[in-house]
Each structure stands twice: as structure tokens, then as C-alpha cells.
Coordinates of all heavy atoms in Angstrom, one line a residue:
M1 N -6.4 0.3 80.6 CA -7.4 0.2 79.5 C -6.8 -0.8 78.4 O -7.6 -1.6 77.9 CB -7.7 1.5 78.9 CG -8.8 1.5 77.9 SD -10.4 1.1 78.6 CE -11.5 1.8 77.5
A2 N -5.6 -0.6 78.1 CA -4.9 -1.5 77.0 C -5.0 -2.9 77.5 O -5.2 -3.9 76.7 CB -3.5 -1.0 76.7
Q3 N -4.8 -3.1 78.8 CA -4.8 -4.5 79.3 C -6.2 -5.1 79.2 O -6.3 -6.3 78.9 CB -4.3 -4.5 80.8 CG -4.2 -5.9 81.4 CD -3.7 -5.9 82.8 OE1 -3.8 -4.8 83.5 NE2 -3.3 -7.0 83.3
Q4 N -7.2 -4.3 79.4 CA -8.6 -4.8 79.3 C -8.9 -5.2 77.9 O -9.5 -6.2 77.6 CB -9.6 -3.7 79.8 CG -9.5 -3.4 81.2 CD -10.3 -2.2 81.6 OE1 -10.8 -1.5 80.8 NE2 -10.4 -2.0 82.9
T5 N -8.4 -4.4 76.9 CA -8.6 -4.6 75.5 C -7.9 -5.9 75.1 O -8.5 -6.8 74.4 CB -8.1 -3.5 74.7 OG1 -8.8 -2.3 75.1 CG2 -8.4 -3.7 73.2
K6 N -6.7 -6.1 75.6 CA -5.9 -7.3 75.3 C -6.6 -8.5 75.8 O -6.7 -9.5 75.2 CB -4.5 -7.1 76.0 CG -3.5 -7.9 75.3 CD -2.1 -7.5 76.0 CE -1.0 -8.1 75.2 NZ 0.3 -7.8 75.7
F7 N -7.2 -8.4 77.0 CA -7.9 -9.6 77.6 C -9.1 -9.9 76.8 O -9.4 -11.1 76.5 CB -8.3 -9.2 79.1 CG -9.1 -10.4 79.7 CD1 -8.4 -11.5 80.2 CD2 -10.4 -10.3 79.9 CE1 -9.1 -12.5 80.8 CE2 -11.2 -11.3 80.5 CZ -10.5 -12.4 81.0
A8 N -9.9 -8.9 76.4 CA -11.1 -9.1 75.6 C -10.7 -9.7 74.3 O -11.4 -10.6 73.8 CB -11.8 -7.8 75.4
Q9 N -9.7 -9.3 73.7 CA -9.2 -9.8 72.4 C -8.8 -11.3 72.6 O -9.1 -12.1 71.7 CB -8.1 -9.0 71.8 CG -8.5 -7.7 71.3 CD -7.4 -6.8 70.8 OE1 -6.2 -7.0 71.3 NE2 -7.6 -5.9 69.9
S10 N -8.2 -11.6 73.7 CA -7.8 -12.9 74.0 C -9.0 -13.8 74.1 O -9.0 -15.0 73.6 CB -6.9 -13.0 75.2 OG -6.8 -14.3 75.7
Q11 N -10.0 -13.4 74.9 CA -11.2 -14.1 75.0 C -12.0 -14.3 73.7 O -12.4 -15.4 73.4 CB -12.2 -13.4 76.0 CG -11.7 -13.3 77.4 CD -11.8 -14.7 78.1 OE1 -12.6 -15.5 77.8 NE2 -10.8 -15.0 79.0
L12 N -12.0 -13.3 72.9 CA -12.6 -13.4 71.6 C -11.9 -14.4 70.7 O -12.5 -15.2 70.1 CB -12.7 -12.0 70.9 CG -13.2 -11.9 69.5 CD1 -14.6 -12.4 69.4 CD2 -13.0 -10.5 68.9
T13 N -10.6 -14.3 70.6 CA -9.8 -15.2 69.8 C -10.0 -16.7 70.3 O -10.2 -17.6 69.5 CB -8.3 -14.9 69.9 OG1 -8.1 -13.5 69.5 CG2 -7.5 -15.8 69.1
Q14 N -10.1 -16.9 71.6 CA -10.3 -18.2 72.2 C -11.7 -18.7 71.7 O -11.8 -19.9 71.3 CB -10.2 -18.1 73.7 CG -10.0 -19.4 74.4 CD -9.7 -19.2 75.8 OE1 -10.1 -18.2 76.4 NE2 -8.9 -20.1 76.4
F15 N -12.7 -17.9 71.8 CA -14.0 -18.3 71.4 C -14.1 -18.6 69.9 O -14.6 -19.7 69.5 CB -15.1 -17.2 71.7 CG -16.4 -17.5 71.1 CD1 -17.2 -18.5 71.7 CD2 -16.8 -16.9 70.0 CE1 -18.4 -18.8 71.2 CE2 -18.1 -17.2 69.4 CZ -18.9 -18.2 70.0
L16 N -13.5 -17.8 69.1 CA -13.6 -18.0 67.7 C -12.8 -19.2 67.2 O -13.3 -20.0 66.4 CB -13.0 -16.8 66.9 CG -13.9 -15.5 67.1 CD1 -13.2 -14.3 66.4 CD2 -15.3 -15.7 66.5
R17 N -11.7 -19.5 67.9 CA -11.0 -20.7 67.6 C -11.8 -22.0 68.0 O -11.8 -23.0 67.2 CB -9.6 -20.8 68.3 CG -8.6 -19.9 67.7 CD -7.3 -20.0 68.4 NE -6.3 -19.1 67.8 CZ -5.3 -18.5 68.4 NH1 -5.1 -18.8 69.7 NH2 -4.5 -17.7 67.8
S18 N -12.5 -21.9 69.1 CA -13.3 -23.0 69.5 C -14.5 -23.2 68.5 O -15.0 -24.3 68.4 CB -13.9 -22.8 70.9 OG -14.9 -21.8 70.9
Q19 N -14.9 -22.2 67.8 CA -15.9 -22.3 66.8 C -15.4 -22.7 65.4 O -16.2 -22.9 64.5 CB -16.7 -21.0 66.6 CG -17.3 -20.5 67.9 CD -18.4 -21.5 68.4 OE1 -19.3 -21.8 67.7 NE2 -18.2 -21.9 69.7
G20 N -14.1 -22.8 65.2 CA -13.5 -23.1 63.9 C -13.8 -22.0 62.9 O -13.9 -22.2 61.7
D21 N -13.8 -20.8 63.4 CA -14.2 -19.6 62.6 C -12.9 -18.9 62.0 O -12.0 -18.5 62.8 CB -14.9 -18.6 63.5 CG -16.0 -17.8 62.8 OD1 -16.3 -18.2 61.7 OD2 -16.5 -16.9 63.5
S22 N -12.9 -18.8 60.8 CA -11.8 -18.1 60.1 C -12.3 -17.4 58.9 O -13.3 -17.8 58.3 CB -10.6 -19.0 59.7 OG -11.1 -19.9 58.7
I23 N -11.7 -16.2 58.6 CA -12.1 -15.4 57.5 C -11.1 -15.6 56.4 O -9.9 -15.2 56.6 CB -12.2 -13.9 57.9 CG1 -13.2 -13.8 59.0 CG2 -12.6 -13.1 56.7 CD1 -13.3 -12.4 59.5
P24 N -11.5 -16.1 55.2 CA -10.6 -16.2 54.1 C -10.2 -14.8 53.6 O -11.1 -13.9 53.7 CB -11.3 -17.0 53.1 CG -12.7 -16.9 53.4 CD -12.8 -16.6 54.9
P25 N -9.0 -14.6 53.2 CA -8.7 -13.2 52.6 C -9.6 -12.9 51.4 O -9.8 -13.8 50.6 CB -7.2 -13.3 52.2 CG -6.9 -14.8 52.2 CD -7.9 -15.5 53.0
A26 N -10.0 -11.7 51.3 CA -10.8 -11.2 50.2 C -9.9 -10.8 49.0 O -9.1 -9.9 49.2 CB -11.7 -10.1 50.7
N27 N -10.1 -11.5 47.9 CA -9.4 -11.2 46.7 C -10.4 -11.1 45.5 O -10.4 -12.0 44.7 CB -8.3 -12.3 46.4 CG -7.2 -12.3 47.4 OD1 -6.8 -11.3 47.9 ND2 -6.7 -13.5 47.7
P28 N -11.2 -10.1 45.5 CA -12.2 -10.1 44.5 C -11.6 -9.7 43.1 O -10.7 -8.9 43.1 CB -13.2 -9.0 44.9 CG -12.4 -8.1 45.8 CD -11.3 -9.0 46.5
S29 N -12.0 -10.4 42.1 CA -11.5 -10.1 40.8 C -12.3 -8.9 40.2 O -13.5 -8.9 40.4 CB -11.5 -11.3 39.9 OG -12.8 -11.7 39.7
P30 N -11.7 -8.0 39.5 CA -12.4 -6.8 38.9 C -13.5 -7.2 38.0 O -14.5 -6.5 37.9 CB -11.3 -6.0 38.2 CG -10.0 -6.7 38.4 CD -10.3 -8.0 39.1
E31 N -13.4 -8.3 37.2 CA -14.4 -8.7 36.3 C -15.6 -9.3 36.9 O -16.6 -9.5 36.3 CB -13.8 -9.5 35.1 CG -13.3 -10.9 35.6 CD -11.8 -10.8 36.0 OE1 -11.2 -9.8 35.8 OE2 -11.4 -11.8 36.6
D32 N -15.5 -9.8 38.2 CA -16.6 -10.4 38.8 C -17.4 -9.4 39.6 O -17.0 -9.0 40.7 CB -16.1 -11.5 39.7 CG -17.2 -12.4 40.4 OD1 -18.3 -12.2 40.0 OD2 -16.9 -13.2 41.2
S33 N -18.6 -9.0 39.1 CA -19.4 -8.0 39.8 C -20.6 -8.6 40.6 O -21.4 -7.9 41.1 CB -19.9 -7.0 38.8 OG -20.7 -7.6 37.9
S34 N -20.7 -10.0 40.6 CA -21.8 -10.6 41.3 C -21.5 -10.5 42.8 O -20.4 -10.4 43.3 CB -21.9 -12.1 40.9 OG -20.7 -12.8 41.3
P35 N -22.6 -10.4 43.6 CA -22.5 -10.3 45.0 C -21.8 -11.5 45.6 O -21.9 -12.6 45.2 CB -23.9 -10.2 45.5 CG -24.8 -10.1 44.4 CD -24.0 -10.5 43.2
R36 N -21.0 -11.2 46.7 CA -20.3 -12.3 47.4 C -20.8 -12.3 48.8 O -21.2 -11.3 49.4 CB -18.8 -12.0 47.3 CG -18.2 -12.1 46.0 CD -16.7 -11.9 46.1 NE -16.1 -12.0 44.8 CZ -15.5 -13.2 44.4 NH1 -15.5 -14.2 45.2 NH2 -15.0 -13.2 43.2
R37 N -20.6 -13.4 49.5 CA -20.9 -13.5 50.9 C -19.6 -13.2 51.6 O -18.5 -13.7 51.3 CB -21.3 -14.9 51.2 CG -22.7 -15.3 50.7 CD -23.2 -16.6 51.2 NE -24.6 -16.8 51.3 CZ -25.4 -16.1 52.1 NH1 -25.0 -15.1 52.8 NH2 -26.7 -16.4 52.1
E38 N -19.7 -12.3 52.6 CA -18.6 -11.9 53.4 C -18.9 -12.1 54.9 O -20.0 -11.8 55.3 CB -18.2 -10.5 53.1 CG -17.0 -10.0 53.9 CD -16.6 -8.6 53.5 OE1 -16.9 -8.2 52.3 OE2 -16.1 -7.9 54.4
R39 N -18.0 -12.7 55.7 CA -18.3 -12.9 57.1 C -18.1 -11.6 57.8 O -17.1 -10.9 57.6 CB -17.4 -14.0 57.6 CG -17.7 -14.4 59.1 CD -17.1 -15.6 59.5 NE -17.4 -16.8 58.6 CZ -18.4 -17.6 58.9 NH1 -19.1 -17.5 59.9 NH2 -18.6 -18.6 58.1
I40 N -19.0 -11.3 58.8 CA -18.9 -10.1 59.6 C -19.1 -10.6 61.1 O -19.9 -11.5 61.3 CB -19.9 -9.0 59.2 CG1 -19.7 -7.8 60.0 CG2 -21.3 -9.5 59.3 CD1 -20.4 -6.6 59.5
K41 N -18.4 -10.0 62.0 CA -18.6 -10.4 63.4 C -19.0 -9.2 64.2 O -18.5 -8.1 64.0 CB -17.3 -10.9 63.9 CG -16.9 -12.2 63.2 CD -15.6 -12.7 63.7 CE -15.3 -14.0 62.9 NZ -13.9 -14.1 62.4
H42 N -20.0 -9.4 65.1 CA -20.4 -8.3 66.0 C -20.0 -8.7 67.4 O -20.1 -9.9 67.8 CB -22.0 -8.3 66.0 CG -22.5 -8.0 64.6 ND1 -22.6 -6.7 64.1 CD2 -23.1 -8.8 63.7 CE1 -23.1 -6.8 62.9 NE2 -23.5 -8.1 62.7
L43 N -19.5 -7.7 68.2 CA -19.1 -8.0 69.5 C -19.8 -7.0 70.4 O -19.8 -5.8 70.3 CB -17.6 -7.8 69.6 CG -17.0 -7.9 71.0 CD1 -17.1 -9.2 71.6 CD2 -15.5 -7.5 70.9
L44 N -20.6 -7.6 71.4 CA -21.3 -6.7 72.4 C -20.5 -6.9 73.7 O -20.2 -8.0 74.1 CB -22.7 -7.2 72.6 CG -23.6 -7.1 71.4 CD1 -25.0 -7.7 71.8 CD2 -23.8 -5.6 71.0
I45 N -20.2 -5.8 74.4 CA -19.5 -5.8 75.7 C -20.3 -4.8 76.6 O -20.6 -3.7 76.2 CB -18.1 -5.3 75.6 CG1 -17.3 -6.2 74.6 CG2 -17.4 -5.2 76.9 CD1 -15.9 -5.8 74.4
G46 N -20.7 -5.3 77.8 CA -21.4 -4.5 78.7 C -21.8 -5.4 79.9 O -21.4 -6.5 80.1
S47 N -22.7 -4.8 80.7 CA -23.3 -5.6 81.8 C -24.1 -6.8 81.2 O -24.6 -6.7 80.1 CB -24.2 -4.7 82.7 OG -25.4 -4.4 82.0
P48 N -24.2 -7.8 82.0 CA -25.0 -9.0 81.5 C -26.4 -8.5 81.1 O -27.0 -9.0 80.1 CB -25.1 -9.9 82.7 CG -23.8 -9.7 83.5 CD -23.6 -8.2 83.3
K49 N -27.0 -7.6 81.8 CA -28.4 -7.1 81.5 C -28.4 -6.4 80.2 O -29.3 -6.6 79.4 CB -28.9 -6.2 82.7 CG -30.3 -5.8 82.5 CD -30.8 -4.9 83.6 CE -32.2 -4.5 83.5 NZ -32.7 -3.7 84.6
A50 N -27.5 -5.5 80.0 CA -27.4 -4.7 78.8 C -27.1 -5.5 77.5 O -27.8 -5.4 76.5 CB -26.4 -3.6 78.9
V51 N -26.2 -6.5 77.7 CA -25.9 -7.3 76.5 C -27.1 -8.2 76.2 O -27.5 -8.4 75.0 CB -24.6 -8.2 76.8 CG1 -24.4 -9.3 75.8 CG2 -23.4 -7.3 76.9
T52 N -27.7 -8.8 77.2 CA -28.9 -9.6 77.0 C -30.1 -8.9 76.3 O -30.7 -9.3 75.4 CB -29.4 -10.3 78.3 OG1 -28.3 -11.1 78.8 CG2 -30.5 -11.2 78.1
R53 N -30.3 -7.7 76.8 CA -31.4 -6.8 76.3 C -31.1 -6.5 74.8 O -32.0 -6.5 74.0 CB -31.5 -5.5 77.1 CG -32.3 -5.7 78.3 CD -32.6 -4.4 79.0 NE -33.9 -3.9 78.4 CZ -34.4 -2.7 78.5 NH1 -33.7 -1.8 79.2 NH2 -35.6 -2.4 78.0
T54 N -29.8 -6.2 74.5 CA -29.5 -5.8 73.1 C -29.7 -7.1 72.2 O -30.2 -6.9 71.1 CB -28.0 -5.3 73.0 OG1 -27.9 -4.2 73.9 CG2 -27.7 -5.0 71.6
I55 N -29.3 -8.2 72.7 CA -29.4 -9.5 71.9 C -30.9 -9.7 71.6 O -31.3 -10.0 70.5 CB -28.8 -10.7 72.6 CG1 -27.3 -10.5 72.6 CG2 -29.3 -12.0 72.0 CD1 -26.5 -11.5 73.4
H56 N -31.8 -9.5 72.6 CA -33.2 -9.7 72.4 C -33.8 -8.6 71.5 O -34.7 -8.9 70.7 CB -33.9 -9.7 73.8 CG -33.7 -11.0 74.5 ND1 -32.8 -11.2 75.5 CD2 -34.3 -12.2 74.3 CE1 -32.9 -12.4 76.0 NE2 -33.7 -13.1 75.3
L57 N -33.3 -7.4 71.6 CA -33.8 -6.3 70.7 C -33.5 -6.6 69.3 O -34.3 -6.5 68.4 CB -33.2 -5.0 71.1 CG -33.5 -3.8 70.2 CD1 -35.0 -3.5 70.1 CD2 -32.7 -2.6 70.6
L58 N -32.2 -7.1 69.0 CA -31.8 -7.5 67.7 C -32.7 -8.6 67.1 O -32.9 -8.7 65.9 CB -30.3 -7.8 67.6 CG -29.4 -6.6 67.8 CD1 -28.0 -7.0 68.0 CD2 -29.6 -5.6 66.7
Q59 N -33.2 -9.5 68.0 CA -34.1 -10.6 67.5 C -35.4 -10.0 67.2 O -36.0 -10.3 66.1 CB -34.2 -11.7 68.5 CG -35.2 -12.7 68.1 CD -35.2 -14.0 68.9 OE1 -34.2 -14.4 69.3 NE2 -36.4 -14.5 69.2
V60 N -35.9 -9.1 68.0 CA -37.2 -8.4 67.7 C -37.2 -7.7 66.4 O -38.1 -7.7 65.6 CB -37.6 -7.5 68.9 CG1 -38.8 -6.6 68.5 CG2 -37.9 -8.3 70.1
L61 N -36.0 -7.0 66.1 CA -35.9 -6.3 64.9 C -35.7 -7.2 63.7 O -35.6 -6.7 62.5 CB -34.7 -5.3 65.0 CG -34.8 -4.2 66.0 CD1 -33.5 -3.4 66.2 CD2 -36.0 -3.3 65.6
G62 N -35.5 -8.5 63.9 CA -35.3 -9.5 62.8 C -33.9 -9.6 62.3 O -33.7 -10.1 61.2
Y63 N -32.9 -9.1 63.1 CA -31.6 -9.1 62.6 C -30.9 -10.4 62.9 O -30.2 -11.0 62.1 CB -30.8 -7.9 63.2 CG -29.4 -7.9 62.6 CD1 -29.2 -7.4 61.3 CD2 -28.3 -8.3 63.3 CE1 -27.9 -7.4 60.8 CE2 -27.0 -8.3 62.8 CZ -26.8 -7.8 61.5 OH -25.6 -7.8 61.0
A64 N -31.0 -10.9 64.1 CA -30.4 -12.2 64.5 C -31.2 -12.8 65.6 O -31.7 -12.2 66.5 CB -29.0 -11.9 65.0
N65 N -31.2 -14.1 65.6 CA -31.9 -14.9 66.6 C -31.0 -14.9 67.9 O -29.8 -14.9 67.8 CB -32.1 -16.3 66.2 CG -33.2 -16.4 65.1 OD1 -34.1 -15.6 65.1 ND2 -32.9 -17.3 64.1
V66 N -31.7 -15.0 69.0 CA -31.0 -15.1 70.3 C -29.9 -16.2 70.3 O -28.8 -16.1 70.7 CB -32.0 -15.3 71.5 CG1 -31.2 -15.6 72.8 CG2 -32.8 -14.0 71.6
G67 N -30.3 -17.4 69.7 CA -29.5 -18.6 69.7 C -28.2 -18.4 68.8 O -27.3 -19.3 68.8
D68 N -28.2 -17.4 68.0 CA -27.1 -17.2 67.1 C -25.9 -16.6 67.8 O -24.7 -16.6 67.3 CB -27.4 -16.2 65.9 CG -28.5 -16.8 65.0 OD1 -28.7 -18.1 65.0 OD2 -29.1 -16.1 64.2
W69 N -26.1 -16.0 69.0 CA -25.0 -15.3 69.7 C -24.3 -16.4 70.6 O -24.8 -17.4 71.0 CB -25.6 -14.3 70.6 CG -26.1 -13.1 69.9 CD1 -27.3 -12.9 69.3 CD2 -25.4 -11.9 69.5 NE1 -27.4 -11.7 68.7 CE2 -26.3 -11.1 68.8 CE3 -24.1 -11.4 69.8 CZ2 -25.9 -9.8 68.3 CZ3 -23.7 -10.2 69.3 CH2 -24.6 -9.4 68.6
S70 N -23.0 -16.1 70.9 CA -22.3 -16.9 71.8 C -22.8 -16.8 73.2 O -23.5 -15.8 73.5 CB -20.8 -16.5 71.8 OG -20.6 -15.3 72.5
P71 N -22.5 -17.7 74.1 CA -22.9 -17.6 75.5 C -22.2 -16.3 76.0 O -21.2 -15.9 75.4 CB -22.3 -18.8 76.2 CG -22.1 -19.8 75.1 CD -21.8 -19.0 73.8
L72 N -22.7 -15.8 77.1 CA -22.1 -14.6 77.7 C -20.7 -15.0 78.2 O -20.6 -16.0 79.0 CB -22.9 -14.0 78.8 CG -24.3 -13.5 78.4 CD1 -25.0 -12.9 79.6 CD2 -24.2 -12.5 77.2
L73 N -19.7 -14.3 77.8 CA -18.3 -14.6 78.2 C -17.8 -13.5 79.1 O -18.0 -12.3 78.8 CB -17.4 -14.7 77.0 CG -17.8 -15.7 75.9 CD1 -17.0 -15.4 74.6 CD2 -17.5 -17.1 76.4
P74 N -17.2 -13.9 80.3 CA -16.7 -12.8 81.2 C -15.5 -12.1 80.6 O -14.8 -12.6 79.8 CB -16.3 -13.6 82.4 CG -16.0 -15.0 81.9 CD -16.9 -15.2 80.7
T75 N -15.5 -10.8 81.0 CA -14.3 -10.0 80.7 C -13.5 -9.9 82.0 O -13.9 -10.4 83.0 CB -14.6 -8.6 80.1 OG1 -15.2 -7.8 81.2 CG2 -15.6 -8.7 78.9
E76 N -12.4 -9.2 82.0 CA -11.6 -9.0 83.2 C -12.3 -8.0 84.2 O -11.9 -7.9 85.3 CB -10.2 -8.7 82.9 CG -9.9 -7.3 82.5 CD -8.4 -7.0 82.3 OE1 -7.6 -7.9 82.3 OE2 -8.1 -5.8 82.2
N77 N -13.2 -7.2 83.7 CA -14.0 -6.3 84.5 C -15.1 -7.0 85.2 O -15.8 -7.8 84.6 CB -14.5 -5.1 83.7 CG -13.4 -4.3 83.0 OD1 -12.3 -4.2 83.6 ND2 -13.7 -3.7 81.9
S78 N -15.3 -6.7 86.5 CA -16.4 -7.3 87.2 C -17.7 -6.8 86.7 O -17.8 -5.6 86.3 CB -16.3 -7.1 88.7 OG -16.4 -5.7 89.0
N79 N -18.7 -7.7 86.6 CA -20.0 -7.3 86.1 C -20.0 -6.9 84.7 O -20.8 -6.1 84.2 CB -20.7 -6.3 87.0 CG -22.2 -6.3 86.8 OD1 -22.8 -7.4 86.6 ND2 -22.9 -5.2 86.8
E80 N -19.1 -7.4 83.9 CA -19.0 -7.1 82.5 C -18.8 -8.4 81.7 O -18.0 -9.3 82.1 CB -17.9 -6.1 82.1 CG -17.9 -5.7 80.7 CD -16.7 -4.7 80.4 OE1 -15.6 -5.2 80.3 OE2 -17.0 -3.5 80.3
V81 N -19.6 -8.6 80.6 CA -19.5 -9.8 79.8 C -19.5 -9.3 78.3 O -19.6 -8.2 78.0 CB -20.8 -10.7 80.0 CG1 -20.8 -11.2 81.4 CG2 -22.0 -10.0 79.6
M82 N -19.2 -10.3 77.5 CA -19.2 -10.1 76.0 C -19.9 -11.2 75.3 O -20.0 -12.4 75.9 CB -17.9 -9.8 75.4 CG -16.9 -11.0 75.5 SD -15.3 -10.4 74.8 CE -14.3 -11.8 75.3
S83 N -20.5 -11.0 74.2 CA -21.1 -12.0 73.4 C -20.8 -11.7 71.9 O -20.7 -10.5 71.5 CB -22.6 -12.0 73.6 OG -23.2 -13.1 72.9
I84 N -20.6 -12.7 71.1 CA -20.2 -12.6 69.7 C -21.2 -13.2 68.8 O -21.7 -14.3 69.0 CB -18.8 -13.3 69.5 CG1 -17.8 -12.7 70.5 CG2 -18.3 -13.1 68.1 CD1 -16.8 -13.7 71.0
L85 N -21.5 -12.5 67.7 CA -22.3 -13.0 66.6 C -21.5 -13.0 65.3 O -20.9 -12.0 65.0 CB -23.5 -12.1 66.4 CG -24.4 -12.4 65.2 CD1 -25.1 -13.7 65.3 CD2 -25.4 -11.3 64.9
S86 N -21.4 -14.1 64.7 CA -20.8 -14.2 63.4 C -21.8 -14.6 62.3 O -22.5 -15.5 62.5 CB -19.7 -15.3 63.5 OG -19.0 -15.4 62.2
R87 N -21.8 -13.8 61.3 CA -22.8 -14.1 60.2 C -22.3 -13.6 58.9 O -21.2 -13.0 58.8 CB -24.2 -13.4 60.5 CG -24.1 -11.9 60.5 CD -25.4 -11.3 60.9 NE -26.4 -11.7 59.9 CZ -27.7 -11.6 60.1 NH1 -28.2 -11.1 61.2 NH2 -28.5 -11.9 59.1
Q88 N -22.9 -14.0 57.8 CA -22.5 -13.7 56.5 C -23.5 -12.7 55.9 O -24.7 -12.8 56.1 CB -22.4 -14.9 55.6 CG -21.3 -15.9 56.0 CD -21.1 -17.0 55.0 OE1 -21.7 -17.0 54.0 NE2 -20.2 -17.9 55.3
I89 N -22.9 -11.7 55.2 CA -23.7 -10.7 54.5 C -23.3 -10.7 53.0 O -22.2 -11.2 52.6 CB -23.5 -9.3 55.1 CG1 -22.0 -8.8 55.0 CG2 -24.0 -9.2 56.5 CD1 -21.8 -7.4 55.3
L90 N -24.2 -10.2 52.1 CA -23.9 -10.1 50.7 C -23.2 -8.7 50.5 O -23.6 -7.7 51.0 CB -25.1 -10.2 49.9 CG -25.8 -11.5 49.8 CD1 -27.1 -11.4 49.0 CD2 -24.9 -12.6 49.2
T91 N -22.1 -8.8 49.8 CA -21.4 -7.6 49.4 C -21.2 -7.5 47.9 O -21.1 -8.5 47.2 CB -19.9 -7.5 50.0 OG1 -19.2 -8.7 49.6 CG2 -20.0 -7.5 51.5
P92 N -21.3 -6.3 47.3 CA -21.2 -6.2 45.8 C -19.8 -6.5 45.3 O -18.8 -6.5 46.0 CB -21.5 -4.7 45.6 CG -21.5 -4.0 46.9 CD -21.5 -5.1 48.0

């Protein structure tokens, strides 16, 4: 199981590097109470059918467009893929 997790993390890191994606460290100042944008990443792992259905459901719910997700990336498990969504949310 640890080997599978390590492989998935490696695939995720490889994808994020290819996207030029990095998260700056959060150092909010106490006197600044205005909302900030913070990057959040979602990772779906499962069968191609389950991942695709979830991506489409999230679009129907208005959370994210299908095109916002990464292509399906294989994991080391047969018939298992992952897809990544990176977006910004407002935080207090």
C-alpha cells in the first residue's frame, strides 16, 4: 500500500511540475482581515468510469468544469486512474 501511495504521489508531483503549479507559503498578517485567495488541489483516484462520472457530476453541481481537471493519469494499479483539479478559493 505504501508503494502505491508513493507512486501516486510521484505521478501527482510530476503533473504539478509540468503545470508550473506551486503554492506560496501562507504568512497572513494579523492586522489584515480581508479575504485572500488560497490554492487548493483535489485528487480523484478510482476506475476511469468512477473518476469521469465524478468529474461530470461536479460540473453539473457547478463546482468545476470538466476541462479544469487534468487528463486521466494511470496509477500503478491496473484499471485505476487519477485526475487533479487545482483552483483558488477565498479564505478569511
Side-chain angles (χ1 to χ4, degrees):
M1 186 69 152
Q3 186 179 15
Q4 294 169 350
T5 302
K6 204 173 191 180
F7 178 79
Q9 287 174 334
S10 167
Q11 292 289 329
L12 174 60
T13 301
Q14 199 171 29
F15 171 76
L16 293 175
R17 283 187 184 149
S18 74
Q19 300 299 303
D21 216 7
S22 64
I23 302 174
N27 294 323
S29 62
E31 62 274 348
D32 186 8
S33 62
S34 63
R36 295 181 177 265
R37 292 187 153 295
E38 184 176 328
R39 188 166 300 265
I40 186 168
K41 295 176 182 138
H42 302 281
L43 175 63
L44 295 176
I45 299 175
S47 70
K49 183 178 181 178
V51 171
T52 302
R53 280 190 88 191
T54 303
I55 289 170
H56 284 100
L57 174 63
L58 290 169
Q59 177 167 319
V60 169
L61 295 173
Y63 185 74
N65 293 324
V66 169
D68 295 341
W69 290 86
S70 73
L72 299 182
L73 304 166
T75 69
E76 73 176 14
N77 296 331
S78 63
N79 200 36
E80 185 179 78
V81 297
M82 64 181 167
S83 185
I84 303 145
L85 168 70
S86 180
R87 62 183 301 165
Q88 292 189 3
I89 61 170
L90 291 176
T91 58

